[in-house]
Amino acid sequence: MRTVTVVGASLSGLHAARELRAQGFDGRLVIVGEEPHRPYDRPPLSKDFLTGRTGEEQLALTDAEETAHLDAEWLLGVRARCLDARGRAVLLGDGRTVSTDGVIIATGAAARRLPGDPLAGVHTLRTLDDARALRADLAAGPRRIVVIGGGFIGAETASSCARLGHTVTVVEAAPLPLLPQLGPRMAAVCAALHRRGGVELIAGTGVAGLRGSGTVTGVRLADGRTLPADVVVVGIGARPRTDWLDGSTLALHDGVLCDDGCVTALPQVVAVGDVARVGGTRAEHWTSATEQPRVAVANLLAGRTRETFRPLPYFWSDQYGTRIQFAGRYRDGDTVQVTEGDFTDGLPGEDGFLARYERDRRTVAVLGVDRPRAFTRARRELQRDLRQQEERGRAEQAVL
């Protein structure tokens, strides 16, 4: 393999490039990125960058020394147009063709938008340019802000806007924010954090549309109400960036379908990060983007699936000065017990708390709220138990 092309110059693409060099690939390395920026850290965009406590220079994930070490060709500000698997090439939007032996797909995901004509004052928050535009709107003075969606991006953005002194309302279609991830009892904690932070939460109703001519003036709710708004932030999830792969014969379904080793059905093509559906699951989390590339690169260089990637799901979120950490998988019917710390009136106490989710008398997930040491310990225990269960399963299968 003489040339490997990484399509996507964000977190997972950068880690894939690092892994290629770390695992001994010394050939031509090409990194294609649609954005004009070198890789940068996205989590601060909705937090410290939005509030002005972090500058753009602090977001950079690479420096001059590492750039020289990677010895890569950076093709930035140009999107991949299609993948020619038969001809072993990546075709770019500017007409260029990159001939390649191996491809790592790391194109990530794009923010979902509301239907209709775009209006000034309506934002998504996925990229550095998105964050720049929103920060400029927020700097123009006190604003009435409506955040559509109470997920991670929505909640963190609402928290930052409230910190800046704006009047903020969050609209969430589900009965509680983060209900699918945390379950009703712990999702109620997130709802309480909004209220404690001075943000109005309207849950259990959707958005019918936006009002305004050229510039947004309000948000129409499905129940008939209209919320006045100077700025609207749409945080209703993301879609995997697979449009450029249409017609490539790759299997696509809410992402690029891969086996447990990030390997696709096409020879010498692997996928990592938000765009990859690995073993039936697509995870839009920082940890997946940083951990998947090691296995994906090992299998790409080997030409087959030699290693697999089955991590314990993990995410964190910072809202209203509170750190929320979760590991594992929640299902309806799981019981939740607060095992450490203070949990009173639906809010964490001064020292936070740790909660364990149980199913069939086994711990299947843990939640930490401002309890980082206890959470880290519980997460390690959960990871160890998961490995032991997998080893027992393999041993039983071998006997059969």
Side-chain angles (χ1 to χ4, degrees):
M1 194 179 297
R2 297 180 179 179
T3 300
V4 174
T5 301
V6 179
V7 186
S10 193
L11 182 68
S12 59
L14 174 62
H15 275 262
R18 288 171 173 169
E19 286 293 339
L20 282 164
R21 294 310 190 204
Q23 295 187 34
F25 176 72
D26 59 1
R28 181 188 179 210
L29 173 57
V30 182
I31 303 175
V32 179
E34 183 173 358
E35 294 185 62
H37 318 292
R38 291 289 177 101
Y40 58 88
D41 204 16
R42 294 185 190 274
L45 295 181
S46 58
K47 299 183 278 289
D48 287 351
F49 180 79
L50 203 58
T51 59
R53 289 181 293 174
T54 293
E56 291 187 21
E57 65 283 353
Q58 295 168 283
L59 300 176
L61 293 173
T62 58
D63 55 23
E65 182 179 354
E66 182 179 36
T67 299
H69 173 72
L70 287 177
D71 188 25
E73 298 176 34
W74 294 83
L75 306 182
L76 301 177
V78 58
R79 67 184 302 270
R81 182 167 57 84
C82 69
L83 173 63
D84 180 2
R86 181 175 298 178
R88 291 183 174 273
V90 176
L91 281 60
L92 305 182
D94 61 6
R96 285 180 289 177
T97 297
V98 180
S99 298
T100 189
D101 301 303
V103 175
I104 300 176
I105 299 171
T107 41
R112 296 187 184 277
R113 301 177 182 273
L114 294 176
D117 295 332
L119 296 173
V122 178
H123 300 266
T124 57
L125 187 52
R126 181 79 187 183
T127 68
L128 176 57
D129 290 340
D130 290 341
R132 285 172 172 172
L134 177 56
R135 192 163 78 164
D137 258 6
L138 298 179
R143 290 287 187 268
R144 297 168 299 178
I145 298 172
V146 175
V147 178
I148 302 173
F152 303 114
I153 293 297
E156 291 172 359
T157 302
S159 172
S160 296
C161 290
R163 184 185 182 94
L164 291 170
H166 300 288
T167 302
V168 185
T169 301
V170 174
V171 179
E172 169 57 51
L176 290 167
L178 297 174
L179 183 60
Q181 293 86 358
L182 302 180
R185 189 181 180 199
M186 293 297 116
V189 175
C190 296
L193 290 176
H194 285 294
R195 292 191 291 270
R196 189 172 72 178
V199 169
E200 181 182 6
L201 172 65
I202 300 176
T205 187
V207 170
L210 303 178
R211 289 194 179 277
S213 178
T215 300
V216 70
T217 59
V219 176
R220 290 188 294 110
L221 303 183
D223 62 11
R225 286 179 289 173
T226 296
L227 305 176
D230 305 305
V231 174
V232 172
V233 181
V234 180
I236 55 175
R239 58 173 181 81
R241 298 293 300 271
T242 59
D243 51 311
W244 68 283
L245 295 168
D246 291 341
S248 67
T249 73
L250 269 176
L252 306 174
H253 179 68
D254 186 37
V256 178
L257 299 189
C258 307
D259 65 11
D260 285 344
C262 303
V263 176
T264 74
L266 287 178
Q268 308 301 342
V269 178
V270 298
V272 293
D274 293 357
V275 75
R277 193 170 185 83
V278 179
T281 302
R282 189 173 69 84
E284 295 180 16
H285 299 308
W286 189 91
T287 47
S288 298
T290 57
E291 293 174 354
Q292 287 174 350
R294 184 192 65 78
V295 170
V297 166
N299 293 333
L300 176 70
L301 296 179
R304 59 187 177 89
T305 302
R306 294 180 56 183
E307 298 186 38
T308 58
F309 178 80
R310 299 191 65 185
L312 181 71
Y314 165 67
F315 67 78
W316 80 91
S317 180
D318 295 316
Q319 306 172 19
Y320 306 102
T322 294
R323 168 61 64 95
I324 300 169
Q325 295 171 284
F326 183 87
R329 293 180 176 88
Y330 162 77
R331 294 180 188 170
D332 289 341
D334 290 349
T335 59
V336 186
Q337 298 292 332
V338 175
T339 57
E340 295 184 34
D342 185 18
F343 178 70
T344 307
D345 298 326
L347 278 169
E350 186 174 328
D351 295 325
F353 68 85
L354 180 76
R356 296 177 183 268
Y357 292 68
E358 294 186 351
R359 185 187 315 144
D360 299 328
R361 298 182 181 181
R362 290 190 303 107
T363 299
V364 294
V366 291
L367 170 70
V369 178
D370 286 337
R371 200 85 171 185
R373 289 186 178 180
F375 174 82
T376 299
R377 182 180 67 250
R379 181 188 176 194
R380 287 173 179 166
E381 292 172 358
L382 195 58
Q383 287 175 318
R384 185 186 64 239
D385 292 345
L386 180 64
R387 284 195 298 268
Q388 291 174 349
Q389 292 169 29
E390 290 177 345
E391 289 170 0
R392 285 196 296 268
R394 285 194 293 268
E396 292 172 359
Q397 188 66 31
V399 170
L400 295 175

